[in-house]
Amino acid sequence: MAAPDRPLRRASWQVVACDLCGASRPDVLGQREIIVRGRRCDHQMVFADAACGQCGFVQALERPDDAFLMDYYRDAHIGHRGGELHFDGPARLAAVAARVPGGGRIIEIGANDGAFCAELSKAGYDAFGFDPVEADEASGVEKGFLEAGIASVAPRSADAVIAYYVLEHVIEAGAWLRSALALLKDGGVLILEVPDYTTHPQDSLNVEHLLHFTPETLRELLEQHGLEILRDQPAPTVAYGQAIAARLRDRALAESPRPASNAYLSGGPARLTAAKAAYAEAMADRARRQQAAESAARLAREADPSGTASVFIWGANEYAERAAPLLAQAFSSVQVVDKSASKIGTPFPGLAAPVAHPDAAAEAKARIFLLCSPNWNEQIAAEIAAQGWAALAVIDAVTGERLA
């Protein structure tokens, strides 16, 4: 629910046809309504999750208007800033080097703060990064390749176009891809990385994602647009992702793509069945995570019924997003802390205070910690003990169990 003292921004959501086959035969999987707290207002996100009844591609049946999305990203999106690599940097650089000649012209769409473009420049590439969300902050980025817009890039001038975790956010996949390919030389390489709905449906169903690709659907989209999938594929550089590399072979299809292939359409029923199973898995996982958050919040209240302790939620991620509003109802001081330089100082959904470094806990008189890392909670608990930070409770928000 939106805060009563904050304006609520609503979009005009419009039903669209399938991005892969153009059919208007959606099989609705479920609906999610999420209120996202931004810097200036709250944003209402309403997702009608659907799989195409003809080809099985999973997507948001309704899409918001572009103006709403740009306002949302500028106001509520938490990007990675500060030059920190939040991905496997060496693997990403190696994937580019294996497919793009040294010194080649590379355009990164969705470059965030330009951290990877900086690595490409160091490696000798002529790298240009663009991010519409970061464009108005470019003056604060100490990298000369971050410019105000992509319009300054000459058509068909790039040896490679790369985009990491961008395609799943766009309103229309085909339109975005055609604009990207317009920058690519004939024979140039496109490298994309997106969430993998097959293996990580929960991560794909992010509050900002409109399109949910499997390896098969991603390959079909690129082939429709005249791209040849390369034989040796890069490995994903984020745990929940999938990566693909392809070469532009047919300029005519890049501008006017072919319809979905018969081979692709013939697999529609099987993809639809798999899409439903993955969605059910994601919703069950979502319910488990919510239950763990509620259990963690209950344990915190039991540790301090007065609500006067300072609560530190360690880990600025989706586990924290579930726990924070529950704790804010019972405690007067709730703060998310994280060691990531790209997150510190950014706003966090549902809380007034921005993300802080864990050292913020040092001055508190009474502490409760909620730990939100699926892989590192035991190590974080050991660090809390090593710092000598006495705590009323140390709680694992991933499992909903008390650690100390």
Side-chain angles (χ1 to χ4, degrees):
M1 181 177 296
D5 59 337
R6 290 171 58 84
L8 178 63
R9 180 86 158 84
R10 294 183 174 90
S12 176
W13 295 72
Q14 302 293 328
V15 176
V16 298
C18 175
D19 289 76
L20 269 290
C21 73
S24 297
R25 292 167 43 192
D27 195 319
V28 177
L29 304 173
Q31 182 164 311
R32 296 172 292 137
E33 180 174 352
I34 306 165
I35 303 297
V36 180
R37 184 183 178 90
R39 299 167 182 82
R40 299 185 302 272
C41 67
D42 293 333
H43 303 261
Q44 182 187 47
M45 310 293 282
V46 182
F47 293 94
D49 300 314
C52 175
Q54 176 166 278
C55 77
F57 178 55
V58 181
Q59 59 211 282
L61 174 60
E62 298 177 340
R63 314 280 168 84
D65 56 275
D66 186 65
F68 171 85
L69 274 188
M70 289 311 303
D71 286 348
Y72 165 83
Y73 281 116
R74 294 185 186 280
D75 186 47
H77 178 71
I78 299 177
H80 294 274
R81 299 183 178 91
E84 179 188 34
L85 299 185
H86 60 282
F87 49 83
D88 187 339
R92 190 169 288 184
L93 187 59
V96 172
R99 295 163 181 85
V100 185
R105 175 75 156 162
I106 299 177
I107 299 171
E108 182 178 11
I109 301 175
N112 209 283
D113 69 349
F116 184 52
C117 268
E119 298 300 308
L120 290 170
S121 295
K122 291 176 186 176
Y125 288 103
D126 178 19
F128 172 94
F130 166 71
D131 194 313
V133 177
E134 300 286 337
D136 61 347
E137 301 175 12
S139 60
V141 180
E142 296 177 0
K143 302 178 180 68
F145 49 77
L146 258 178
E147 301 175 15
I150 208 164
S152 59
V153 181
R156 306 187 188 187
S157 65
D159 296 289
V161 171
I162 59 177
Y164 300 95
Y165 299 95
V166 173
L167 184 57
E168 67 274 15
H169 293 258
V170 306
I171 295 173
E172 184 184 349
W176 182 91
L177 188 54
R178 288 190 291 277
S179 67
L181 295 180
L183 307 175
L184 195 60
K185 295 177 181 177
D186 291 344
V189 173
L190 176 74
I191 300 177
L192 303 177
E193 197 167 318
V194 299
D196 189 337
Y197 180 78
T198 301
T199 58
H200 294 79
Q202 168 70 21
D203 294 291
S204 187
L205 292 164
N206 178 286
V207 67
E208 297 178 353
H209 299 170
L210 302 173
L211 308 173
H212 309 289
F213 291 96
T214 67
E216 187 179 13
T217 55
L218 183 58
R219 180 187 184 108
E220 170 66 18
L221 175 68
L222 300 192
E223 289 179 341
Q224 287 179 16
H225 286 78
L227 289 148
E228 175 190 14
I229 311 301
L230 299 180
R231 178 172 300 183
D232 297 321
Q233 287 295 300
T237 61
V238 175
Y240 55 81
Q242 57 173 314
I244 193 167
R247 191 174 300 280
L248 180 57
R249 293 298 191 192
D250 192 323
R251 176 65 63 181
L253 289 181
E255 298 172 352
S256 300
R258 65 162 173 78
S261 68
N262 291 333
Y264 173 73
L265 292 176
S266 67
R271 278 190 296 274
L272 181 58
T273 298
K276 291 180 176 180
Y279 192 82
E281 174 191 334
M283 292 303 103
D285 189 30
R286 185 180 295 269
R288 285 193 295 270
R289 297 185 189 192
Q290 182 62 31
Q291 185 177 23
E294 292 172 359
S295 177
R298 175 181 55 78
L299 290 171
R301 292 193 299 270
E302 291 175 355
D304 178 25
S306 70
T308 58
S310 297
V311 178
F312 297 95
I313 304 175
W314 195 315
N317 57 25
E318 65 163 312
Y319 293 97
E321 289 180 15
R322 286 181 168 79
L326 300 174
L327 292 162
Q329 296 172 9
F331 293 88
S332 57
S333 176
V334 180
Q335 188 157 18
V336 173
V337 298
D338 201 294
K339 286 191 171 182
S340 171
S342 65
K343 296 179 180 180
I344 294 171
T346 62
F348 194 82
L351 296 180
V355 178
H357 189 278
D359 287 347
E363 302 301 321
K365 295 181 179 179
R367 310 175 187 87
I368 294 175
F369 290 97
L370 262 74
L371 313 186
C372 297
S373 171
N375 301 314
W376 301 101
N377 277 352
E378 290 187 6
Q379 289 90 329
I380 295 172
E383 181 176 344
I384 290 170
Q387 291 286 351
W389 292 335
L392 298 176
V394 178
I395 301 164
D396 189 327
V398 178
T399 64
E401 299 174 348
R402 183 164 174 163
L403 299 177

